[in-house]
């Protein structure tokens, strides 16, 4: 001890971490190699250690629903939501309920989208927005699309309002923030199906259940962006408001919120995209619309019609994303005093004139009011022909890929994950945790996976982990080189980033179409869908990490005589690794979500069990499975972000 007194406490702690990590690594190998010698309780969690968490949760929910009478509160809330849905449904597609003035002609809605997009982003955006609704109408998908949008129109304002309130409360109260943060962390790593099961128990199925689960799912990002926006308002702006004599409410309403406008509107963008993603998936609980139709067509393997529906969902996603992004970037326009009301609100009056015009035209020209099914166009037949040709042409290759992956990678790797003793996994995670973040990280890793072990779902968890591992590795093999290649040029990087931005707007369901088309319904299709979904953030963050390296570092490397590839491997990549690891983190999160969603085409992981829980309205089982997925995601997030932070600190990156 005296001989090492010249070492700092941090160095001693780092040395201890290495020793502990090595010890746990040795324990891991011993437990795995001598599996047959040790008691069975060290290989698989023994029965007496498995706790009936699902039964406890079910008991608690029954208590809430029946004994406390929350079923009546939930029915009252769902009744109010249903009333709002009746209004939007009546206006958009003519559901015969109050106010009984619908439906609005499709042409009037299309021109509304055109003018709104033009006011936000100009001609290009208006053509995309208006063209989306024209496509939906002429393809005979209007009613399904309006069923989807009628829920989004109701769910989005409610989600935004709740997010604003809770985000403001978290900003004002440190205690509330500390309580809310872990809840939001879990909520944002929970799979979609975990939200649906409690809603089905309290609300039932159908559009109102779909709207309520959409609100619950979409609120967390709005809370976070509201909190971040209010927190980041410059102190000098606040001082200026105080010096002007503003009260606390006036300071919030007229100073803080306008200053946080960009962050709040980005939150609105995320809410809308989350709403679209959940509304599409809510078809599993009886939500009508494009999602339900796509689910039916995929189950029937009608690829041509599935592609038609998929195109519509993608176009809606791109339109909503681009319009809300343009809204977030658009600064308020201030007019000189005395400017005419018609000039101040020229877009509104232009829209009003066009809207009334198409309302009238719809009365006299039937096709501008409604495109009937026998008048609609369809591209499903040529798509089917093209798909059949593609499948037949690529069949030798896809057959070989299926055989190779299943025989040499998937089955051996799955068996290996199931073979490794759970105690060896815990020791390995402790080793990784100690090496990255010391005792705290080791405890976090072991606690999360100990809870998974005593939940009784260890084997299903390992199958999920193996699927995610394979998918992320393949996504890295595809996405990392693509990101590196794109980072060398401005044009290529902008093109790939634009593609990544567009792909990230797609609801996850869409990624199932091409893999089912090529590989059918099997584990390879699941892996393929997850890879497509997971490669996007990895590619994006690789490009951004490499492009944002300090130019002085690159110039210093070049001045020392380094070649382009030496500069890449010796300067750019080491500096970009922390950002790239954030992309890996996102890739793992995306993979976890996609594995659960892809379960409907046939897997044996947590997703399949979660769908069974949804079918039987088993809240306890569904929430336990959802928490398991959340624990995996939170553990990976903690390890990667801890490592990334320490790496940035070592590199001197802010």
């Amino acid at each position: 001890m005296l001989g090492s007194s010249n070492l700092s406490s941090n160095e001693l702690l780092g040395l201890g971490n290495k020793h502990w990590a090595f010890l746990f690594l040795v324990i891991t190998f011993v437990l795995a190699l001598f599996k047959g010698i040790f008691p069975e309780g060290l290989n698989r969690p023994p029965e007496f250690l498995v706790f009936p968490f699902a039964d406890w949760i079910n008991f608690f929910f029954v208590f809430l629903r029946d004994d406390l009478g929350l079923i009546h509160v939930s029915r009252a809330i769902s009744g109010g939501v249903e009333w709002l849905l009746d209004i939007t449904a009546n206006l958009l597609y003519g559901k015969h309920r109050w106010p009984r003035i619908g439906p609005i002609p499709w042409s009037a809605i299309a021109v509304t989208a055109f003018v709104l997009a033009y006011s936000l982003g100009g001609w290009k955006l208006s053509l995309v927005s208006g063209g989306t609704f024209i496509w939906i109408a002429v393809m005979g998908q209007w009613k399904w699309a309006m069923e989807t949008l009628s829920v989004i129109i109701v769910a989005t304002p409610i989600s935004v309002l709740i997010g604003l309130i809770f985000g403001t409360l978290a900003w004002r109260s440190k205690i509330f923030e500390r309580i809310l943060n872990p809840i939001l962390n879990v909520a944002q790593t929970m799979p979609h199906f975990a939200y649906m099961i409690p809603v089905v128990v309290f609300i039932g199925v159908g559009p109102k259940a779909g709207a309520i689960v959409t609100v619950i799912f979409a609120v967390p990002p709005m809370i976070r962006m509201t909190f971040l926006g209010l927190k980041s308002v410059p102190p000098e702006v606040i001082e200026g408001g105080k010096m002007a004599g503003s009260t606390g409410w006036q300071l919030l309403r007229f100073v803080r919120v306008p200053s946080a406008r960009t962050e709040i509107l980005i939150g609105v963008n995320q809410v809308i995209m989350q709403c679209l993603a959940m509304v599409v998936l809510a078809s599993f609980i009886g939500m009508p619309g494009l999602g339900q139709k796509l689910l039916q067509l995929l189950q029937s393997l009608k690829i041509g019609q599935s592609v038609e529906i998929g195109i519509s969902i993608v176009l809606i996603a791109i339109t909503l994303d681009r319009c809300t992004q343009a809204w977030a970037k658009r600064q308020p326009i201030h007019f000189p005093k005395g400017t005419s009301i018609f000039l101040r609100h020229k877009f509104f009056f232009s829209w009003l004139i066009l809207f009334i015009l198409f309302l009238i035209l719809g009365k006299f020209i039937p096709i501008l009011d409604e495109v009937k099914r026998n008048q609609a166009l369809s591209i499903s037949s040529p798509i089917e022909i093209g798909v059949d040709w593609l499948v037949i042409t690529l069949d030798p290759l896809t057959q070989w890929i299926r055989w190779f992956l299943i025989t040499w990678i998937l089955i051996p790797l799955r068996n290996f994950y199931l073979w490794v003793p759970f105690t060896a996994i815990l020791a390995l995670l402790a080793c990784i945790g100690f090496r990255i973040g010391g005792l705290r990280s080791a405890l976090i890793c072991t606690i999360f996976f100990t809870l998974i072990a005593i939940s009784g779902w260890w084997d299903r968890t390992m199958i999920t982990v193996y699927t995610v591992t394979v998918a992320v590795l393949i996504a890295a093999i595809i996405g990392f080189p693509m990101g590196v290649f794109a980072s060398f040029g401005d044009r290529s990087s902008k093109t790939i980033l634009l593609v990544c931005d567009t792909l990230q707007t797609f609801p996850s369901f869409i990624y199932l179409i091409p893999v089912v088309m090529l590989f059918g319904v099997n584990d390879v299709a699941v892996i393929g869908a997850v890879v497509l979904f997971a490669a996007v953030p990895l590619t994006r963050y690789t490009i951004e990490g490499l492009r944002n390296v300090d130019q002085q570092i690159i110039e210093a490397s070049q001045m020392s005589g380094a070649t382009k590839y030496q500069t890449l491997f010796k300067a750019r990549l080491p500096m970009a690794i922390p950002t790239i690891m954030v992309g890996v983190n996102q890739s793992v999160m995306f993979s976890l979500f996609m594995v659960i969603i892809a379960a409907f085409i046939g897997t044996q992981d947590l997703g399949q069990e979660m769908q069974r829980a949804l079918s039987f309205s088993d809240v306890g089982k569904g929430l336990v499975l959802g928490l398991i997925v959340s624990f995996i995601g939170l553990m990976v997030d903690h390890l990667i972000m801890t490592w990334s932070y320490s790496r940035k600190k070592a590199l001197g990156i802010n």
Side-chain angles (χ1 to χ4, degrees):
M1 290 292 291
L2 292 173
S4 62
S5 60
N6 61 328
L7 292 173
S8 69
S9 59
N10 286 337
E11 286 172 326
L12 286 171
L13 182 61
L15 195 63
N17 288 350
K18 291 178 182 178
H19 285 162
W20 276 107
F22 179 73
L23 175 61
F24 278 108
L25 189 62
V26 171
I27 293 172
T28 301
F29 279 108
V30 170
L31 288 169
L33 291 174
F34 298 99
K35 176 182 177 181
I37 299 174
F38 295 115
E40 185 58 30
L42 293 177
N43 297 327
R44 285 290 175 273
E47 288 294 329
F48 69 87
L49 282 180
V50 176
F51 289 83
F53 294 123
D55 294 339
W56 297 346
I57 293 172
N58 281 329
F59 176 81
F60 178 68
F61 265 80
V62 169
F63 172 76
L64 289 177
R65 185 187 62 189
D66 300 334
D67 297 340
L68 287 185
L70 285 187
I71 187 70
H72 303 296
V73 176
S74 65
R75 284 176 179 172
I77 293 171
S78 66
V81 171
E82 188 173 26
W83 181 76
L84 292 172
L85 288 173
D86 285 343
I87 296 175
T88 57
N90 178 258
L91 292 173
L92 292 179
Y93 62 93
K95 190 173 181 180
H96 299 296
R97 293 188 183 181
W98 189 87
R100 300 182 185 278
I101 59 174
I104 299 171
W106 73 264
S107 55
I109 294 176
V111 81
T112 300
F114 182 90
V115 174
L116 177 61
Y118 183 77
S119 69
L120 294 172
W123 281 106
K124 289 182 180 179
L125 185 59
S126 66
L127 290 174
V128 171
S129 182
T132 294
F133 286 88
I134 293 171
W135 161 273
I136 291 168
V138 300
M139 298 305 292
Q141 301 170 10
W142 189 258
K143 183 174 183 293
W144 304 328
M146 293 305 104
E147 287 172 339
T148 298
L149 287 176
S150 68
V151 176
I152 294 175
I153 290 171
V154 170
T156 298
I158 297 174
S159 302
V160 169
L161 179 61
I162 295 173
L164 283 170
I165 293 171
F166 277 82
T168 304
L169 290 174
W171 162 75
R172 291 187 66 89
S173 170
K174 287 288 184 185
I175 295 174
F176 190 74
E177 178 195 349
R178 288 171 184 168
I179 295 171
L180 198 61
N181 258 334
I183 296 173
L184 291 177
N185 289 338
V186 173
Q188 290 193 286
T189 52
M190 287 274 278
H192 302 71
F193 292 131
Y195 288 87
M196 298 182 191
I197 303 170
V199 171
V200 170
V201 170
F202 279 94
I203 307 298
V205 297
K208 59 183 178 181
I212 290 171
V213 76
T214 299
V215 169
I216 296 170
F217 182 72
V219 162
M222 190 67 207
I223 297 175
R224 285 207 186 276
M225 294 310 299
T226 301
F227 172 75
L228 291 173
L230 293 174
K231 192 177 180 180
S232 63
V233 176
E236 55 269 21
V237 175
I238 307 302
E239 289 300 321
K242 288 179 179 178
M243 290 174 66
S246 300
T247 64
W249 167 250
Q250 289 172 331
L251 204 60
L252 177 65
R253 170 68 181 83
F254 297 106
V255 179
R256 292 187 185 274
V257 170
S259 298
R261 176 182 179 276
T262 300
E263 288 82 1
I264 290 173
L265 290 181
I266 290 172
V268 173
N269 168 265
Q270 293 185 15
V271 165
I272 291 173
M273 301 315 295
Q274 295 281 66
C275 284
L276 178 60
M278 182 54 92
V279 166
V280 170
L281 286 172
S283 56
F284 283 94
I285 57 172
M287 174 68 227
L290 292 171
Q292 186 183 70
K293 195 65 182 174
L294 179 59
L295 177 64
Q296 293 170 352
L297 293 170
L298 280 176
Q299 288 175 329
S300 304
L301 292 178
K302 295 180 179 178
I303 301 299
Q305 294 178 47
S306 297
V307 171
E308 284 185 347
I309 299 291
I311 291 172
S312 297
I313 294 173
V314 166
L315 287 174
I316 291 172
I318 292 172
T319 297
L320 294 176
D321 180 62
R322 296 294 185 268
C323 286
T324 49
Q325 281 192 25
W327 186 23
K329 294 174 183 176
R330 183 172 179 264
Q331 295 301 315
I333 301 172
H334 301 283
F335 293 93
K337 190 175 181 180
T339 304
S340 166
I341 188 173
F342 295 102
L343 287 177
R344 287 176 180 269
H345 305 287
K346 59 182 179 181
F347 291 116
F348 171 76
F349 287 106
S350 300
W351 164 77
L352 187 62
I353 292 169
L354 289 171
F355 184 76
I356 293 172
L357 174 64
F358 278 94
L359 282 179
I360 295 170
L361 289 175
K363 298 295 182 183
F364 298 98
I365 306 175
I367 200 167
L368 292 179
D369 180 54
E370 178 187 4
V371 179
K372 299 185 182 298
R373 291 295 298 169
N374 60 356
Q375 297 173 315
L377 302 178
S378 176
I379 58 173
S380 62
S381 294
I383 290 175
E384 291 282 0
I385 294 170
V387 167
D388 289 341
W389 175 83
L390 185 65
V391 169
I392 292 170
T393 303
L394 296 179
D395 186 62
L397 177 61
T398 55
Q399 288 279 8
W400 182 85
I401 292 173
R402 275 200 301 267
W403 168 81
F404 177 78
L405 286 176
I406 291 173
T407 306
W408 293 100
I409 296 178
L410 299 184
I411 292 178
L413 192 59
R414 183 188 66 184
N415 292 341
F416 174 75
Y417 272 73
L418 293 172
W419 173 83
V420 176
F422 85 99
T423 48
I425 297 289
L426 294 179
L428 178 62
L429 292 174
C431 166
I432 296 170
F434 262 112
R435 193 68 186 87
I436 290 176
L439 179 61
R440 180 172 178 269
S441 294
L443 286 174
I444 287 173
C445 294
T446 50
I447 288 172
F448 277 146
F449 263 70
T450 299
L451 289 171
I452 292 172
I454 64 177
S455 70
W457 294 104
W458 182 261
D459 286 349
R460 297 282 183 171
T461 301
M462 287 299 101
I463 294 174
T464 301
V465 171
Y466 115 83
T467 306
V468 170
T469 304
V470 173
V472 172
L473 285 174
I474 297 174
I477 292 170
I478 296 170
F480 180 67
M482 188 183 299
V484 171
F485 170 77
S487 70
F488 283 119
D490 290 336
R491 185 173 180 180
S492 58
S493 62
K494 287 178 181 178
T495 302
I496 298 295
L497 284 174
L498 178 62
V499 172
C500 288
D501 287 341
T502 304
L503 290 174
Q504 280 195 288
T505 64
F506 294 2
S508 48
F509 233 164
I510 300 302
Y511 290 89
L512 295 173
I513 297 175
V515 293
V516 170
M517 177 182 73
L518 290 173
F519 298 105
V521 177
N522 51 56
D523 280 7
V524 176
V526 173
I527 294 289
V530 178
V531 168
L532 290 175
F533 200 43
V536 175
L538 212 152
T539 305
R540 179 190 179 86
Y541 279 93
T542 299
I543 295 172
E544 291 186 346
L546 291 169
R547 297 288 292 178
N548 292 330
V549 173
D550 192 339
Q551 192 62 32
Q552 291 180 348
I553 295 174
I554 298 173
E555 289 174 359
S557 176
Q558 292 171 343
M559 288 175 66
S560 66
T563 64
K564 182 169 70 171
Y565 292 101
Q566 287 174 330
T567 302
L568 172 65
F569 289 105
K570 299 295 183 181
R572 296 178 67 198
L573 272 177
M575 298 298 292
I577 279 292
T579 303
I580 293 171
M581 290 306 294
V582 175
V584 174
N585 185 28
Q586 289 282 307
S587 184
V588 172
M589 298 303 166
F590 281 28
S591 297
L592 284 169
F593 288 157
M594 193 67 205
V595 165
I596 303 302
I597 292 165
F600 99 97
I601 62 174
T603 59
Q604 296 178 341
D605 57 11
L606 294 172
Q608 186 186 64
E609 292 297 331
M610 201 171 291
Q611 289 197 20
R612 288 175 180 168
L614 180 61
S615 300
F616 292 99
S617 300
D618 191 338
V619 181
K621 180 180 176 182
L623 286 183
V624 168
L625 296 170
L627 286 170
I628 289 172
V629 175
S630 181
F631 290 163
I632 298 170
L634 288 171
M635 186 200 72
V636 172
D637 178 73
H638 170 78
L639 290 175
I640 291 178
M641 298 312 292
T642 300
W643 182 89
S644 181
Y645 174 78
S646 62
R647 184 64 181 163
K648 283 183 178 180
K649 191 175 179 182
L651 293 169
I653 303 173
N654 293 327

